[in-house]
Amino acid sequence: AGVDRGEFVLHYQPLVRLADGRVRGAEALVRWQHPEQGLLGPGRFIEAAERSGAIVPLGRWVLVEACRQAAEWWRELGPRAPYVSVNVSPVQLAQADWVAEVTEVMELTSLPPWQLQLEITEQAVLEDEAAATAALSALRATGVRLTLDDFGTGYSGLAWLRQLPVHALKIDGSFIDGLRHRHADPVDRSIVEALIRMAHALDLEVTAEWVETSQQMEQLIALGCDLGQGHWLGRASAAAWVADLWRRNIA
């Protein structure tokens, strides 16, 4: 009902290449402008939406709106415009027509497939591994970018990860949090280093989330992490903020 009433909005958080500070993409983060409770983050409503099935129409709205915005960036900023990254719920991934829906939305919004990234959780894939892998392989064949979200918190084995048709992975923020201070937690630092090395050995790009201090950034650069996301690099805000930041980078 909130979708029909136009109560949802998208904010975008920059995905920044750590080597040179360039904005490569932006994650679309949904917010609910609740008529009584004000602006709510996804932690307040996504689980309930998944249980009720409301995540399907909400997920389609997010995909359409995010692709529409990314197409606007692409037309306005040219071939190096930021791609948009959209979270995919396990419920969406399990839908038989999900791949067709994604393809249809890209056509509807005139978005080149390489300007869309889909973030999939390990749990979403494991719920029906064969069907999920087939769906992801079909999308990868179109040129859509795929990344494994919350990496390091699940059960991914090397063989499983090697077979999964993803381009990238995002290290869970709980590990990055341990690098917050100059004297980093040695266990967290070792884990992050191992995850980056493993990902690069599999030719996967690595994003670190929850980058909130200069110390985290310095250590991630030293460890060879590709992209960063977090308050230190840019808070989630309206779409214009991403385009402005991109322009400042280029200038």
Side-chain angles (χ1 to χ4, degrees):
V3 173
D4 297 334
R5 292 193 298 267
E7 292 174 358
F8 289 95
V9 295
L10 290 184
H11 287 178
Y12 297 87
Q13 186 164 36
L15 296 160
V16 175
R17 190 162 59 198
L18 295 178
D20 59 10
R22 289 277 176 90
V23 175
R24 288 283 295 109
E27 183 178 354
L29 299 164
V30 65
R31 306 284 189 257
W32 185 3
Q33 190 65 62
H34 194 281
E36 295 161 9
Q37 299 177 48
L39 196 65
L40 304 179
R44 297 282 299 277
F45 59 85
I46 289 293
E47 276 191 34
E50 287 181 335
R51 286 196 304 271
S52 69
I55 194 69
V56 175
L58 175 58
R60 180 180 172 85
W61 177 85
V62 168
L63 185 64
V64 170
E65 180 62 20
C67 287
R68 185 198 60 73
Q69 179 58 66
E72 200 172 294
W73 288 333
W74 184 66
R75 285 192 298 270
E76 184 185 341
L77 304 174
R80 289 191 293 167
Y83 58 81
V84 74
S85 195
V86 178
N87 291 283
V88 177
S89 156
V91 179
Q92 289 173 280
L93 189 56
Q95 297 280 309
D97 61 349
W98 181 67
V99 172
E101 181 175 295
V102 174
T103 308
E104 178 193 312
V105 170
M106 287 190 293
E107 289 173 0
L108 178 73
T109 57
S110 302
L111 181 69
W114 59 87
Q115 292 297 112
L116 172 63
Q117 175 171 278
L118 299 172
E119 298 198 18
I120 318 289
T121 63
E122 185 181 20
Q123 190 55 43
V125 177
L126 291 174
E127 285 189 13
D128 187 345
E129 196 173 327
T133 302
L136 296 177
S137 296
L139 281 171
R140 176 155 184 161
T142 70
V144 170
R145 299 168 54 88
L146 301 167
T147 190
L148 194 62
D149 198 10
D150 299 333
F151 190 75
T153 59
Y155 305 98
S156 296
L158 270 173
W160 182 81
L161 188 60
R162 189 165 177 254
Q163 292 166 13
L164 204 61
V166 297
H167 297 80
L169 56 83
K170 183 180 283 188
I171 299 175
D172 189 74
S174 59
F175 299 116
I176 309 304
D177 196 51
L179 310 183
R180 172 178 290 275
H181 305 294
R182 188 164 299 282
H183 301 292
D185 183 305
V187 174
D188 280 343
R189 194 180 194 282
S190 295
I191 290 171
V192 171
E193 182 175 21
L195 292 176
I196 292 169
R197 284 188 176 181
M198 180 184 69
H200 285 168
L202 295 171
D203 200 25
L204 300 174
E205 185 180 69
V206 185
T207 300
E209 59 181 5
W210 297 13
V211 181
E212 296 175 352
T213 69
S214 59
Q215 284 82 8
Q216 284 170 312
M217 181 135 164
E218 286 166 13
Q219 291 181 78
L220 288 165
I221 290 170
L223 293 173
C225 189
D226 302 299
L227 302 177
Q229 177 181 9
H231 292 168
W232 183 260
L233 298 162
R235 294 178 179 272
S237 190
W241 153 239
V242 175
D244 290 346
L245 187 59
W246 185 91
R247 284 193 191 89
R248 287 205 298 273
N249 286 165
I250 297 301

